[in-house]
Amino acid sequence: MCGALLWLLRWPTRRQSIVYSLSAGIAIGAMCLAMSNPYTGLMGCSIFAVIGGVVAYFHTSALTVVNLTLATVCAVILSYRMIATTGDLALTAAAFITVAALNVGVPFGIQSLMQTLRTDLRGSDRDSLTGLHNRRSFHNNVYELMMLDRPRTGKYLVMAMIDLDNFKQLNDTQGHAAGDEALVMVSSTLQENCRATAVIGRLGGEEFLVADIAASPNPARMAERLREAIAKIPIAVTASIGTAGAALDGYSARDNLELIDALIRTSDMAMYEAKRAGGNRVCHFSTLVSVES
């Protein structure tokens, strides 16, 4: 009752939820063992499945196993009492199997469902052709990168917008299969030539984005390395790359999201400047494009 009232007032913390789950499990076990009728107590052990479902959804497999162990110990004790009292092995076995099926099936079934949903969610955040982050996933992962990188003194969020030169001509002359192959090769090249911390995404078409935390607002060395690597892939494509960077000064979610958007716009404008200058080059813009523009 106290736990239910707490959840009605506000969502509990992780620690409160764990304490509640363990306390509820102990209380259920004590109630079942205290019953004078061992059959009633044994069937009461099926209530552990409810707590097991909550634990499986919100917490770890280890805590799910703890709940299952507690249910098993109580069920074994009550099964022994039931046999000693009634001598009915068939009824005891049937009751024990029912309790075991509930306590195994419910929590581990929920865990299996959650794992499937996580896999589907990860897939929905990826570009189907290259396996890179899509636009939404790119934003989310750059935001997480900014929040995790502390302390921020002397740190900059840098962005590189990459657009493949004459990609339409490649599709028109060699076919879309060659274009898709080029996109896959470029995505692999970006992953091989960026740091492990970098967030890499495909915005669609032949446009890619790379974001990372750096000690300088101008990622010239990284951008030039990417440009040279793309020019060396077997399919004849080059890249126009626009870069931008800004200090990680804001701590609020709104500041961080606005900074991401401003850097994407600025690096996009720098990329078009590189393309207008002939392509296969890097252009850096040091002044951010404002949110209002």
Side-chain angles (χ1 to χ4, degrees):
M1 179 67 71
C2 294
L5 289 174
L6 175 63
W7 285 31
L8 285 173
L9 294 173
R10 63 177 176 81
W11 196 254
T13 64
R14 180 177 179 83
R15 178 175 295 181
Q16 288 172 340
S17 181
I18 291 174
V19 170
Y20 170 79
S21 300
L22 291 174
S23 300
I26 293 172
I28 292 169
M31 176 193 70
C32 293
L33 293 173
M35 288 185 176
S36 56
N37 187 330
Y39 176 75
T40 304
L42 179 57
M43 295 307 298
C45 290
S46 59
I47 303 175
F48 279 106
V50 178
I51 301 300
V54 173
V55 170
Y57 187 88
F58 290 105
H59 300 295
T60 63
S61 299
L63 198 57
T64 305
V65 172
V66 170
N67 182 78
L68 178 60
T69 301
L70 186 58
T72 302
V73 170
C74 291
V76 168
I77 293 173
L78 288 163
S79 295
Y80 175 79
R81 288 182 184 177
M82 186 173 172
I83 293 173
T85 302
T86 65
D88 194 335
L89 293 175
L91 181 61
T92 303
F96 185 86
I97 291 172
T98 300
V99 170
L102 287 170
N103 279 285
V104 172
V106 171
F108 291 100
I110 289 176
Q111 276 197 335
S112 177
L113 176 62
M114 291 301 297
Q115 183 62 38
T116 302
L117 291 175
R118 288 191 192 101
T119 301
D120 289 343
L121 183 60
R122 283 195 292 268
S124 68
D125 284 343
R126 296 284 177 170
D127 174 62
S128 58
L129 177 64
T130 64
L132 300 178
H133 294 288
N134 59 26
R135 183 183 292 269
R136 180 188 62 183
S137 177
F138 180 83
H139 273 78
N140 293 340
N141 280 269
V142 174
Y143 175 77
E144 291 179 6
L145 177 67
M146 296 169 71
M147 297 303 292
L148 289 173
D149 199 275
R150 306 287 178 86
R152 294 182 162 193
T153 305
K155 297 290 185 68
Y156 298 86
L157 177 66
V158 294
M159 197 83 66
M161 176 73 74
I162 302 156
D163 187 88
L164 301 184
D165 301 320
N166 302 318
F167 184 75
K168 184 177 184 303
Q169 182 179 354
L170 174 67
N171 272 333
D172 292 342
T173 57
Q174 301 187 38
H176 290 283
D180 289 347
E181 185 179 359
L183 293 173
V184 172
M185 286 185 177
V186 169
S187 67
S188 298
T189 299
L190 294 178
Q191 291 172 308
E192 291 168 1
N193 289 274
C194 290
R195 297 195 311 164
T197 56
V199 181
I200 309 171
R202 181 190 174 203
L203 298 189
E206 65 272 27
E207 286 190 336
F208 299 85
L209 262 176
V210 176
D212 203 355
I213 305 296
S216 167
N218 185 352
R221 187 175 299 176
M222 177 193 75
E224 187 60 28
R225 182 172 67 248
L226 296 179
R227 186 196 65 78
E228 292 178 354
I230 291 172
K232 291 178 181 178
I233 68 174
I235 295 180
V237 293
T238 58
S240 295
I241 302 177
T243 62
L248 290 172
D249 294 329
Y251 285 88
S252 70
R254 181 176 179 179
D255 289 340
N256 287 334
L257 291 173
E258 288 180 351
L259 179 60
I260 294 171
D261 289 335
L263 283 172
I264 290 175
R265 279 190 296 274
T266 304
S267 59
D268 187 53
M269 291 183 65
M271 180 272 294
Y272 277 110
E273 186 68 23
K275 194 170 285 289
R276 282 191 291 268
N280 192 25
R281 67 190 64 210
V282 176
C283 181
H284 176 75
F285 276 12
S286 58
T287 303
L288 291 182
V289 177
S290 64
V291 176
E292 290 75 19
S293 63

